[in-house]
Amino acid sequence: MVIRELTGGLYFGTPKGVEKLPDGTERGVNTMVYTTPEIERIARVGFEVARKRRKKLLSVDKANVLETTELWRKVVTRVGKDYPDVELTHMYVDNCSMQLVRNPRQFDCIVTENTFGDILSDEAAMLTGSIGMLPSASLGSAKNRAMYEPIHGSAPDIAGKGIANPIATILSIAMMFKYSFDMEDAAMEIENAVEKVLNRGLRTADIAEPKAKKVSCSEMGEAVLKELER
Ligand SMILES: NC(=O)c1ccc[n+]([C@@H]2O[C@H](COP(=O)([O-])OP(=O)(O)OC[C@H]3O[C@@H](n4cnc5c(N)ncnc54)[C@H](O)[C@@H]3O)[C@@H](O)[C@H]2O)c1
């Protein structure tokens, strides 16, 4: 689970923009900025989510060179004192990126700032075989308010072909039950249905081995639904 701060950091910080310099060249600027409340807020989300999982939280930063993430590490560590049941560790983002490929099983829950989370979540998605497998949630600060969607985009290159993998979307509904409605049983039923269908060998094109039989998007969806009804 990658918990990515989504409203601050490099994508929103100011000053930003491209300016013309007197010598005719241009200068592009973005600013990675975080305040204590912004870090506290996402850290708490991280600890709460970790509590619902293996009670391990890894905070990813680049505190050796970026001062803003030096503050990140300090604040996450402080918030961690309120969650003594969750084991908190830290890792630099470059190492994390490497470790995800080397030994993904060492990870359970990652909390990180916006840009690092953008990149690491796509990398983590691919570890599952396809971006079509991973659900996501944009959690609001108000309790239970969130938006659930697959991690991928609208996949315009395969639109209308009936070959998209619907599992990321289906698992997003499971996340909704778990994180907004506190209905772990319903979430688990959906996750189990998906797992059973995969264990039976059903594969959409993105996760099929070469020459293996492929099912369409709607065939996969129907199969999960049938399993759920069972
Ligand atoms: N969360 C989001 O809102 C989000 C995330 C990524 C991209 N987007 C938007 O989606 C549009 C397309 O972006 P993109 O092409 O860079 O990313 P994308 O995620 O739509 O597609 C990337 C690649 O993954 C494949 N893919 C994606 N979903 C798949 C699925 N369910 N099954 C099988 N293959 C799948 C696509 O065919 C494509 O080759 C853009 O407008 C982008 O801004 C939105």
Side-chain angles (χ1 to χ4, degrees):
M1 170 78 81
V2 181
I3 298 147
R4 163 187 172 192
E5 201 292 321
L6 209 53
T7 59
L10 197 54
Y11 296 173
F12 298 100
T14 50
K16 65 192 297 185
V18 179
E19 59 175 350
K20 272 229 165 0
L21 298 177
D23 66 0
T25 59
E26 287 178 296
R27 178 172 177 266
V29 178
N30 286 93
T31 305
M32 186 188 271
V33 55
Y34 275 108
T35 60
T36 310
E38 284 176 306
I39 303 168
E40 277 173 0
R41 185 180 59 182
I42 193 72
R44 288 198 189 281
V45 174
F47 283 107
E48 294 291 339
V49 170
R51 256 187 184 162
K52 291 190 177 183
R53 296 171 59 96
R54 285 188 230 154
K55 300 189 189 311
K56 278 173 59 175
L57 182 65
L58 173 73
S59 172
V60 173
D61 58 43
K62 188 73 181 168
N64 50 341
V65 283
L66 296 174
E67 281 82 355
T68 185
T69 71
E70 207 177 293
L71 177 67
W72 177 281
R73 186 176 286 217
K74 192 170 91 182
V75 174
V76 173
T77 304
R78 195 177 64 222
V79 173
K81 298 214 176 354
D82 294 342
Y83 299 84
D85 52 322
V86 177
E87 182 198 339
L88 171 68
T89 50
H90 305 271
M91 196 180 275
Y92 296 140
V93 63
D94 44 346
N95 186 22
C96 181
S97 169
M98 188 262 284
Q99 296 289 345
L100 268 171
V101 176
R102 195 181 72 88
N103 176 17
R105 282 183 193 280
Q106 69 184 288
F107 297 101
D108 185 58
C109 233
I110 293 174
V111 64
T112 190
E113 66 86 41
N114 204 346
T115 310
F116 298 163
D118 191 359
I119 298 165
L120 292 177
S121 60
D122 266 29
E123 185 185 352
M126 211 51 216
L127 290 172
T128 67
S130 166
I131 203 166
M133 296 291 293
L134 274 200
S136 84
S138 300
L139 303 172
S141 49
K143 191 167 161 37
N144 299 346
R145 187 177 300 170
M147 186 178 77
Y148 297 87
E149 57 173 346
I151 195 168
H152 58 76
S154 53
D157 54 334
I158 57 168
K161 295 185 180 161
I163 58 170
N165 185 344
I167 290 178
T169 301
I170 294 169
L171 290 177
S172 301
I173 308 292
M175 279 189 96
M176 183 176 74
F177 279 112
K178 190 166 178 175
Y179 293 103
S180 275
F181 303 152
D182 261 329
M183 291 172 68
E184 296 245 3
D185 289 355
M188 216 134 75
E189 278 184 33
I190 296 170
E191 287 167 2
N192 287 342
V194 168
E195 199 175 323
K196 281 191 184 143
V197 166
L198 289 172
N199 286 344
R200 285 213 315 267
L202 264 76
R203 297 285 186 270
T204 43
D206 57 314
I207 52 170
E209 287 180 17
K211 292 190 186 145
K213 185 179 176 307
K214 302 174 183 80
V215 299
S216 68
C217 178
S218 49
E219 282 168 335
M220 180 62 96
E222 291 294 338
V224 173
L225 198 57
K226 264 207 191 106
E227 194 58 60
L228 204 53
E229 283 165 356
R230 213 171 276 159

